[in-house]
Amino acid sequence: MLSRHNILRTTALAAIVGGTVYRSVRTLRKARSILPLGQEPSETVLPPTVTVVVPARNEEAVLDDCLRGIRGQTYGSVQGNGSPALRVVVVDDGSTDRTGEIAERHAAEDPRVRVVRSDGPPAGWSGKVHAMHIGVEAAGEPEAGEWLLFVDADTVLAPELLGRLLGTAEQAEADLVSTPGGPPENSSASWPVLMPAGLQMIGENADPMGRGGKAFAIGHCILMRRSHYEKIGGWEALSGRRNEDIAIATAVRDHGGITRVVEGLSYVTTSGMDPFRQGWDSFRKSFVAGTHGSLPLLLGAGLGQIALCLASPAVLVSGLRGADPARIALGAIGWGAQSLAHLRTARVMHANPVLAPLAPFTNAVFGGVLLHGAVEVARGATSWKGRAARF
């Protein structure tokens, strides 16, 4: 007969593994709610204006490809009145490299492109949010039916992307849609190692369909109706936010709008996760921002992630050593559930799923990202692109 101690221990282990299975099943369900990329919208006499805003700080290595992709969009070269349906505002956000020079060259080549310069955010603003704010302001007064497209400078769009993203928003009757970028050629280990766990953890706190406490959005590429941008108060209402993508999607949802995440990775590429150290730092920044720089939250989440992910292998090994079929089954179920979730999230992000069988260990590695964030907060050393981050 099992002792009381053994019963309690087995119950605790079963609860931990059950939590792992629950997380994995929830991840699979959320992944299925991501919209496939639709077709271009039905033809209209007057296609709506789309204003593209590209915030760029020290992006000389990637900005040229980004702007070539935007300028190469097949969507609405001109409106019915002869004006371009696409206009582009590049915000040189206090760059100290050739970012401004590259942007100005594109503006000289294409009258749809305009460059504005910022010397940095005023007090109370985060840098990227302020850059996007002045980009919209530089575009002028809102137009009827206008859309805003916010694109990171390390992101490259395929020619059909904008038209198809507009078509998807139209079909879903959405007011904000976003798509992550997929990996570039010769991408780093951050994609198979960090991306599946990162997507799972973000998805646990924000929903691709805009349900729950927060609406999910990906900052690489966000398309939204300008009418809803004005309705929520624009970026000015979110001036200090550093997880600006989720913040603006949640604000749109809270003001009666519909938000959706779209699977457009075959048409969007980002180099922002490469090399591995940059991908690590990008996730660290996101989770420090998402926790508002809370040391207890980062420590708890990091240690909890490691413990929860490694519990299943530990239970399996314990069962094998003690020839305990119940523990072997528990450990195998928990391990398998993590592997299935890893496989699905890797495929969503177009990452190599080869490490799915090792999911408990790659997931535990992601706990190190959170602990690194905790260390940076404790040191008061949180920064991004050379600017201190304050919470």
Side-chain angles (χ1 to χ4, degrees):
M1 178 178 291
L2 292 174
S3 67
R4 179 182 177 85
H5 174 73
N6 284 335
I7 291 173
L8 290 174
R9 184 169 60 178
T10 300
T11 301
L13 291 174
I16 292 171
V17 173
T20 300
V21 173
Y22 172 76
R23 288 184 77 196
S24 301
V25 170
R26 193 163 177 246
T27 297
L28 292 170
R29 291 180 61 186
K30 287 198 174 187
R32 284 199 297 270
S33 70
I34 296 175
L35 279 179
L37 189 65
Q39 298 301 313
E40 293 197 29
S42 55
E43 293 186 4
T44 58
V45 176
L46 191 65
T49 296
V50 177
T51 299
V52 186
V53 178
V54 183
R57 176 171 169 79
N58 294 335
E59 300 285 7
E60 65 177 3
V62 295
L63 183 60
D64 186 63
D65 287 341
C66 174
L67 294 180
R68 287 184 186 279
I70 293 169
R71 290 172 55 193
Q73 292 301 298
T74 57
Y75 173 77
S77 57
V78 293
Q79 296 175 315
N81 59 7
S83 300
L86 180 70
R87 56 187 182 183
V88 184
V89 181
V90 185
V91 182
D92 177 10
D93 185 20
S95 299
T96 56
D97 62 3
R98 294 178 54 250
T99 293
E101 177 186 332
I102 294 167
E104 291 289 358
R105 174 166 54 80
H106 280 271
E109 295 171 353
D110 190 331
R112 299 175 300 173
V113 180
R114 178 182 178 187
V115 181
V116 296
R117 180 172 175 80
S118 167
D119 292 326
W125 285 78
S126 68
K128 182 179 177 182
V129 170
H130 181 254
M132 291 188 289
H133 165 71
I134 65 173
V136 177
E137 293 296 301
E141 292 298 313
E143 296 185 7
E146 181 183 355
W147 289 81
L148 298 173
L149 178 65
F150 299 100
V151 179
D152 283 353
D154 56 19
T155 301
V156 179
L157 311 182
E160 304 87 358
L161 183 277
L162 176 53
R164 298 190 66 170
L165 202 56
L166 278 166
T168 306
E170 182 181 88
Q171 293 157 21
E173 298 183 338
D175 303 295
L176 180 151
V177 293
S178 71
T179 177
E185 292 184 17
N186 304 315
S187 57
S188 72
S190 63
W191 290 87
V193 175
L194 301 178
M195 188 59 74
L199 186 63
Q200 180 182 47
M201 290 202 71
I202 295 172
E204 287 175 340
N205 294 283
D207 189 85
M209 296 183 69
R211 298 169 178 167
K214 297 177 182 178
F216 197 178
I218 306 289
H220 301 156
C221 180
I222 295 177
L223 178 71
M224 66 182 299
R225 298 182 194 273
R226 185 157 183 183
S227 58
H228 272 266
Y229 175 85
E230 302 294 338
K231 186 177 182 179
I232 68 171
W235 288 117
E236 189 171 6
L238 306 169
S239 58
R241 300 298 292 270
R242 297 188 182 276
N243 57 339
E244 70 286 335
D245 43 11
I246 289 176
I248 197 166
T250 303
V252 168
R253 188 276 313 275
D254 290 347
H255 284 76
I258 296 173
T259 69
R260 295 299 299 267
V261 174
V262 178
E263 201 285 90
L265 287 87
S266 295
Y267 297 84
V268 184
T269 302
T270 179
S271 57
M273 301 301 296
D274 301 283
F276 182 84
R277 176 58 187 265
Q278 184 165 304
W280 178 285
D281 286 343
S282 179
F283 273 122
R284 172 182 56 79
K285 180 215 54 154
S286 295
F287 279 89
V288 169
T291 60
H292 302 288
S294 169
L295 183 59
L297 279 178
L298 287 165
L299 280 173
L303 294 173
Q305 172 78 357
I306 293 169
L308 192 61
C309 295
L310 295 182
S312 296
V315 171
L316 178 60
V317 169
S318 173
L320 290 171
R321 292 179 63 181
D324 185 335
R327 289 192 187 183
I328 293 172
L330 277 174
I333 290 170
W335 190 321
Q338 290 186 72
S339 294
L340 284 174
H342 181 114
L343 180 66
R344 183 69 180 100
T345 50
R347 286 177 173 169
V348 165
M349 295 302 298
H350 292 205
N352 191 332
V354 66
L355 296 179
L358 300 177
F361 306 102
T362 59
N363 289 346
V365 167
F366 198 87
V369 174
L370 304 175
L371 294 179
H372 184 198
V375 170
E376 295 293 287
V377 168
R379 293 173 53 207
T382 54
S383 65
W384 186 247
K385 293 188 180 293
R387 285 179 178 152
R390 295 179 176 82
F391 300 93

PDB file of all heavy atoms in Angstrom, residues 247-269:
ATOM      1  N   ALA A 247      -0.364  46.381 -26.893  1.00  0.00           N
ATOM      2  CA  ALA A 247      -1.086  47.511 -26.306  1.00  0.00           C
ATOM      3  C   ALA A 247      -2.066  48.128 -27.296  1.00  0.00           C
ATOM      4  O   ALA A 247      -3.221  48.419 -26.946  1.00  0.00           O
ATOM      5  CB  ALA A 247      -0.092  48.568 -25.816  1.00  0.00           C
ATOM      6  N   ILE A 248      -1.646  48.318 -28.556  1.00  0.00           N
ATOM      7  CA  ILE A 248      -2.547  48.970 -29.501  1.00  0.00           C
ATOM      8  C   ILE A 248      -3.655  48.025 -29.937  1.00  0.00           C
ATOM      9  O   ILE A 248      -4.807  48.448 -30.130  1.00  0.00           O
ATOM     10  CB  ILE A 248      -1.777  49.546 -30.720  1.00  0.00           C
ATOM     11  CG1 ILE A 248      -2.667  50.566 -31.436  1.00  0.00           C
ATOM     12  CG2 ILE A 248      -1.295  48.441 -31.657  1.00  0.00           C
ATOM     13  CD1 ILE A 248      -1.925  51.444 -32.426  1.00  0.00           C
ATOM     14  N   ALA A 249      -3.354  46.735 -30.069  1.00  0.00           N
ATOM     15  CA  ALA A 249      -4.412  45.779 -30.415  1.00  0.00           C
ATOM     16  C   ALA A 249      -5.452  45.708 -29.302  1.00  0.00           C
ATOM     17  O   ALA A 249      -6.664  45.674 -29.567  1.00  0.00           O
ATOM     18  CB  ALA A 249      -3.808  44.400 -30.670  1.00  0.00           C
ATOM     19  N   THR A 250      -4.998  45.710 -28.059  1.00  0.00           N
ATOM     20  CA  THR A 250      -5.925  45.652 -26.935  1.00  0.00           C
ATOM     21  C   THR A 250      -6.771  46.918 -26.860  1.00  0.00           C
ATOM     22  O   THR A 250      -7.977  46.863 -26.584  1.00  0.00           O
ATOM     23  CB  THR A 250      -5.154  45.444 -25.622  1.00  0.00           C
ATOM     24  OG1 THR A 250      -4.373  44.242 -25.721  1.00  0.00           O
ATOM     25  CG2 THR A 250      -6.098  45.328 -24.438  1.00  0.00           C
ATOM     26  N   ALA A 251      -6.156  48.063 -27.146  1.00  0.00           N
ATOM     27  CA  ALA A 251      -6.907  49.320 -27.136  1.00  0.00           C
ATOM     28  C   ALA A 251      -7.979  49.334 -28.223  1.00  0.00           C
ATOM     29  O   ALA A 251      -9.111  49.776 -27.987  1.00  0.00           O
ATOM     30  CB  ALA A 251      -5.951  50.499 -27.327  1.00  0.00           C
ATOM     31  N   VAL A 252      -7.646  48.833 -29.413  1.00  0.00           N
ATOM     32  CA  VAL A 252      -8.636  48.759 -30.493  1.00  0.00           C
ATOM     33  C   VAL A 252      -9.780  47.845 -30.076  1.00  0.00           C
ATOM     34  O   VAL A 252     -10.964  48.169 -30.249  1.00  0.00           O
ATOM     35  CB  VAL A 252      -7.980  48.267 -31.801  1.00  0.00           C
ATOM     36  CG1 VAL A 252      -9.038  47.910 -32.844  1.00  0.00           C
ATOM     37  CG2 VAL A 252      -7.039  49.326 -32.358  1.00  0.00           C
ATOM     38  N   ARG A 253      -9.444  46.695 -29.515  1.00  0.00           N
ATOM     39  CA  ARG A 253     -10.473  45.748 -29.055  1.00  0.00           C
ATOM     40  C   ARG A 253     -11.355  46.380 -27.983  1.00  0.00           C
ATOM     41  O   ARG A 253     -12.591  46.247 -28.016  1.00  0.00           O
ATOM     42  CB  ARG A 253      -9.768  44.492 -28.533  1.00  0.00           C
ATOM     43  CG  ARG A 253     -10.668  43.289 -28.183  1.00  0.00           C
ATOM     44  CD  ARG A 253     -11.265  43.345 -26.797  1.00  0.00           C
ATOM     45  NE  ARG A 253     -10.352  43.674 -25.732  1.00  0.00           N
ATOM     46  CZ  ARG A 253      -9.581  42.787 -25.090  1.00  0.00           C
ATOM     47  NH1 ARG A 253      -9.598  41.514 -25.428  1.00  0.00           N
ATOM     48  NH2 ARG A 253      -8.796  43.180 -24.081  1.00  0.00           N
ATOM     49  N   ASP A 254     -10.733  47.077 -27.039  1.00  0.00           N
ATOM     50  CA  ASP A 254     -11.480  47.673 -25.934  1.00  0.00           C
ATOM     51  C   ASP A 254     -12.372  48.828 -26.389  1.00  0.00           C
ATOM     52  O   ASP A 254     -13.295  49.215 -25.671  1.00  0.00           O
ATOM     53  CB  ASP A 254     -10.521  48.160 -24.848  1.00  0.00           C
ATOM     54  CG  ASP A 254      -9.854  47.009 -24.095  1.00  0.00           C
ATOM     55  OD1 ASP A 254     -10.310  45.856 -24.251  1.00  0.00           O
ATOM     56  OD2 ASP A 254      -8.873  47.267 -23.382  1.00  0.00           O
ATOM     57  N   HIS A 255     -12.103  49.372 -27.567  1.00  0.00           N
ATOM     58  CA  HIS A 255     -12.937  50.441 -28.123  1.00  0.00           C
ATOM     59  C   HIS A 255     -13.892  49.915 -29.180  1.00  0.00           C
ATOM     60  O   HIS A 255     -14.385  50.664 -30.025  1.00  0.00           O
ATOM     61  CB  HIS A 255     -12.059  51.557 -28.709  1.00  0.00           C
ATOM     62  CG  HIS A 255     -11.444  52.453 -27.679  1.00  0.00           C
ATOM     63  ND1 HIS A 255     -10.356  52.071 -26.913  1.00  0.00           N
ATOM     64  CD2 HIS A 255     -11.757  53.721 -27.267  1.00  0.00           C
ATOM     65  CE1 HIS A 255     -10.024  53.052 -26.093  1.00  0.00           C
ATOM     66  NE2 HIS A 255     -10.859  54.061 -26.274  1.00  0.00           N
ATOM     67  N   GLY A 256     -14.177  48.617 -29.110  1.00  0.00           N
ATOM     68  CA  GLY A 256     -15.194  48.037 -29.979  1.00  0.00           C
ATOM     69  C   GLY A 256     -14.698  47.501 -31.300  1.00  0.00           C
ATOM     70  O   GLY A 256     -15.506  47.071 -32.141  1.00  0.00           O
ATOM     71  N   GLY A 257     -13.391  47.499 -31.533  1.00  0.00           N
ATOM     72  CA  GLY A 257     -12.848  47.005 -32.794  1.00  0.00           C
ATOM     73  C   GLY A 257     -12.592  45.509 -32.776  1.00  0.00           C
ATOM     74  O   GLY A 257     -12.580  44.864 -31.729  1.00  0.00           O
ATOM     75  N   ILE A 258     -12.373  44.958 -33.958  1.00  0.00           N
ATOM     76  CA  ILE A 258     -12.059  43.536 -34.135  1.00  0.00           C
ATOM     77  C   ILE A 258     -10.593  43.416 -34.520  1.00  0.00           C
ATOM     78  O   ILE A 258     -10.129  44.102 -35.440  1.00  0.00           O
ATOM     79  CB  ILE A 258     -12.953  42.900 -35.205  1.00  0.00           C
ATOM     80  CG1 ILE A 258     -14.411  42.931 -34.769  1.00  0.00           C
ATOM     81  CG2 ILE A 258     -12.520  41.469 -35.507  1.00  0.00           C
ATOM     82  CD1 ILE A 258     -15.387  42.474 -35.838  1.00  0.00           C
ATOM     83  N   THR A 259      -9.856  42.566 -33.826  1.00  0.00           N
ATOM     84  CA  THR A 259      -8.443  42.364 -34.112  1.00  0.00           C
ATOM     85  C   THR A 259      -8.195  40.892 -34.413  1.00  0.00           C
ATOM     86  O   THR A 259      -8.814  40.015 -33.803  1.00  0.00           O
ATOM     87  CB  THR A 259      -7.550  42.801 -32.937  1.00  0.00           C
ATOM     88  OG1 THR A 259      -7.738  41.895 -31.832  1.00  0.00           O
ATOM     89  CG2 THR A 259      -7.903  44.206 -32.479  1.00  0.00           C
ATOM     90  N   ARG A 260      -7.275  40.632 -35.340  1.00  0.00           N
ATOM     91  CA  ARG A 260      -6.926  39.255 -35.674  1.00  0.00           C
ATOM     92  C   ARG A 260      -5.441  39.159 -36.008  1.00  0.00           C
ATOM     93  O   ARG A 260      -4.850  40.101 -36.565  1.00  0.00           O
ATOM     94  CB  ARG A 260      -7.731  38.760 -36.887  1.00  0.00           C
ATOM     95  CG  ARG A 260      -9.228  38.666 -36.672  1.00  0.00           C
ATOM     96  CD  ARG A 260      -9.618  37.701 -35.563  1.00  0.00           C
ATOM     97  NE  ARG A 260      -9.198  36.344 -35.805  1.00  0.00           N
ATOM     98  CZ  ARG A 260      -9.941  35.407 -36.394  1.00  0.00           C
ATOM     99  NH1 ARG A 260     -11.162  35.721 -36.820  1.00  0.00           N
ATOM    100  NH2 ARG A 260      -9.496  34.182 -36.547  1.00  0.00           N
ATOM    101  N   VAL A 261      -4.868  38.012 -35.692  1.00  0.00           N
ATOM    102  CA  VAL A 261      -3.508  37.680 -36.119  1.00  0.00           C
ATOM    103  C   VAL A 261      -3.612  36.826 -37.376  1.00  0.00           C
ATOM    104  O   VAL A 261      -4.444  35.922 -37.455  1.00  0.00           O
ATOM    105  CB  VAL A 261      -2.732  36.936 -35.015  1.00  0.00           C
ATOM    106  CG1 VAL A 261      -1.364  36.475 -35.531  1.00  0.00           C
ATOM    107  CG2 VAL A 261      -2.563  37.832 -33.795  1.00  0.00           C
ATOM    108  N   VAL A 262      -2.761  37.128 -38.355  1.00  0.00           N
ATOM    109  CA  VAL A 262      -2.825  36.490 -39.670  1.00  0.00           C
ATOM    110  C   VAL A 262      -1.529  35.730 -39.928  1.00  0.00           C
ATOM    111  O   VAL A 262      -0.439  36.184 -39.553  1.00  0.00           O
ATOM    112  CB  VAL A 262      -3.037  37.561 -40.765  1.00  0.00           C
ATOM    113  CG1 VAL A 262      -3.063  36.928 -42.149  1.00  0.00           C
ATOM    114  CG2 VAL A 262      -4.324  38.326 -40.502  1.00  0.00           C
ATOM    115  N   GLU A 263      -1.652  34.598 -40.589  1.00  0.00           N
ATOM    116  CA  GLU A 263      -0.477  33.797 -40.942  1.00  0.00           C
ATOM    117  C   GLU A 263       0.010  34.257 -42.320  1.00  0.00           C
ATOM    118  O   GLU A 263      -0.373  33.713 -43.357  1.00  0.00           O
ATOM    119  CB  GLU A 263      -0.842  32.308 -40.953  1.00  0.00           C
ATOM    120  CG  GLU A 263       0.348  31.373 -40.801  1.00  0.00           C
ATOM    121  CD  GLU A 263       1.200  31.247 -42.056  1.00  0.00           C
ATOM    122  OE1 GLU A 263       2.150  32.043 -42.206  1.00  0.00           O
ATOM    123  OE2 GLU A 263       0.933  30.367 -42.865  1.00  0.00           O
ATOM    124  N   GLY A 264       0.875  35.284 -42.312  1.00  0.00           N
ATOM    125  CA  GLY A 264       1.392  35.821 -43.571  1.00  0.00           C
ATOM    126  C   GLY A 264       2.888  35.629 -43.719  1.00  0.00           C
ATOM    127  O   GLY A 264       3.545  36.384 -44.452  1.00  0.00           O
ATOM    128  N   LEU A 265       3.437  34.631 -43.056  1.00  0.00           N
ATOM    129  CA  LEU A 265       4.894  34.492 -42.984  1.00  0.00           C
ATOM    130  C   LEU A 265       5.547  34.132 -44.308  1.00  0.00           C
ATOM    131  O   LEU A 265       6.756  34.322 -44.467  1.00  0.00           O
ATOM    132  CB  LEU A 265       5.288  33.457 -41.921  1.00  0.00           C
ATOM    133  CG  LEU A 265       5.114  33.922 -40.469  1.00  0.00           C
ATOM    134  CD1 LEU A 265       3.713  33.649 -39.975  1.00  0.00           C
ATOM    135  CD2 LEU A 265       6.131  33.273 -39.550  1.00  0.00           C
ATOM    136  N   SER A 266       4.763  33.614 -45.259  1.00  0.00           N
ATOM    137  CA  SER A 266       5.337  33.353 -46.578  1.00  0.00           C
ATOM    138  C   SER A 266       5.562  34.645 -47.351  1.00  0.00           C
ATOM    139  O   SER A 266       6.234  34.645 -48.384  1.00  0.00           O
ATOM    140  CB  SER A 266       4.414  32.419 -47.379  1.00  0.00           C
ATOM    141  OG  SER A 266       4.330  31.157 -46.769  1.00  0.00           O
ATOM    142  N   TYR A 267       5.000  35.755 -46.857  1.00  0.00           N
ATOM    143  CA  TYR A 267       5.069  37.032 -47.552  1.00  0.00           C
ATOM    144  C   TYR A 267       5.769  38.112 -46.726  1.00  0.00           C
ATOM    145  O   TYR A 267       5.880  39.254 -47.172  1.00  0.00           O
ATOM    146  CB  TYR A 267       3.659  37.511 -47.915  1.00  0.00           C
ATOM    147  CG  TYR A 267       2.962  36.582 -48.878  1.00  0.00           C
ATOM    148  CD1 TYR A 267       2.281  35.449 -48.422  1.00  0.00           C
ATOM    149  CD2 TYR A 267       2.998  36.815 -50.247  1.00  0.00           C
ATOM    150  CE1 TYR A 267       1.653  34.583 -49.309  1.00  0.00           C
ATOM    151  CE2 TYR A 267       2.380  35.954 -51.142  1.00  0.00           C
ATOM    152  CZ  TYR A 267       1.705  34.843 -50.661  1.00  0.00           C
ATOM    153  OH  TYR A 267       1.096  33.976 -51.541  1.00  0.00           O
ATOM    154  N   VAL A 268       6.203  37.761 -45.532  1.00  0.00           N
ATOM    155  CA  VAL A 268       6.881  38.714 -44.646  1.00  0.00           C
ATOM    156  C   VAL A 268       8.104  38.021 -44.050  1.00  0.00           C
ATOM    157  O   VAL A 268       8.007  36.900 -43.542  1.00  0.00           O
ATOM    158  CB  VAL A 268       5.963  39.184 -43.500  1.00  0.00           C
ATOM    159  CG1 VAL A 268       6.663  40.244 -42.649  1.00  0.00           C
ATOM    160  CG2 VAL A 268       4.647  39.707 -44.025  1.00  0.00           C
ATOM    161  N   THR A 269       9.238  38.692 -44.115  1.00  0.00           N
ATOM    162  CA  THR A 269      10.477  38.143 -43.557  1.00  0.00           C
ATOM    163  C   THR A 269      11.063  39.151 -42.589  1.00  0.00           C
ATOM    164  O   THR A 269      11.060  40.356 -42.860  1.00  0.00           O
ATOM    165  CB  THR A 269      11.506  37.858 -44.675  1.00  0.00           C
ATOM    166  OG1 THR A 269      10.941  36.958 -45.615  1.00  0.00           O
ATOM    167  CG2 THR A 269      12.774  37.238 -44.104  1.00  0.00           C
TER     168      THR A 269
END
